[in-house]
């Protein structure tokens, strides 16, 4: 919501009134957003249940903190639980991406 990560499971719809909401479908129409590509190339998903939230959290993290450390990644994404245990692949995918400036150059947005 307005560029900040928000979890749909605990965010009231009224909190989004008058604000810009980006969903996983809004990152790109063809899965070409750099974070989505990194997920595919890193073979991150297992069952996929948590992956929309993981990708959106990663995109929000990278938009405010280019080249995050493992600590940054873990801290930002700690509330996104993956029952399949893909955390190492998630860290790898996030680390594989360039800075937020690189993402903006490629997509015009993060
Ligand atoms: Fe299965 Fe995360 S990929 S819960």
């Amino acid at each position: 919501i307005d560029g900040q990560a928000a979890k749909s499971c605990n965010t009231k719809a009224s909190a989004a009134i008058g604000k810009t909401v980006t969903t996983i479908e809004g990152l790109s129409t063809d899965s070409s957003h750099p974070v989505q590509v990194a997920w595919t190339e890193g073979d991150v998903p297992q069952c996929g249940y948590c992956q929309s939230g993981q990708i959106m959290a990663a995109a929000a993290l990278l938009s405010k903190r280019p080249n995050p450390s493992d600590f940054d990644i873990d801290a930002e994404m700690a509330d996104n639980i993956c029952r399949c245990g893909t955390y190492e692949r998630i860290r790898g995918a996030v680390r594989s991406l360039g800075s937020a400036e690189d993402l903006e150059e490629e997509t015009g947005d993060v």
Side-chain angles (χ1 to χ4, degrees):
I1 299 173
D2 283 346
Q4 298 296 312
K7 293 173 181 62
S8 60
C9 59
N10 64 6
T11 302
K12 292 182 178 180
S14 61
I17 294 173
K19 298 181 179 174
T20 300
V21 176
T22 305
T23 64
I24 187 77
E25 293 83 3
L27 282 183
S28 70
T29 58
D30 58 0
S31 301
S32 63
H33 187 279
V35 176
Q36 294 170 314
V37 171
W39 249 242
T40 301
E41 291 178 352
D43 199 22
V44 173
Q46 290 295 302
C47 77
Y49 179 77
C50 72
Q51 296 299 312
S52 294
Q54 303 284 8
I55 289 170
M56 295 305 288
L61 169 63
L62 290 164
S63 72
K64 65 183 178 185
R65 187 167 307 209
N67 301 311
S69 67
D70 283 348
F71 178 82
D72 296 332
I73 296 168
D74 292 347
E76 182 73 16
M77 303 182 71
D79 292 339
N80 291 34
I81 306 299
C82 177
R83 64 185 177 192
C84 297
T86 62
Y87 302 110
E88 278 301 316
R89 292 181 186 182
I90 289 169
R91 284 189 209 107
V94 172
R95 286 192 305 255
S96 76
L97 293 165
S99 68
E101 291 80 17
D102 293 338
L103 292 175
E104 288 177 14
E105 288 175 14
E106 290 182 38
T107 66
D109 196 14
V110 175

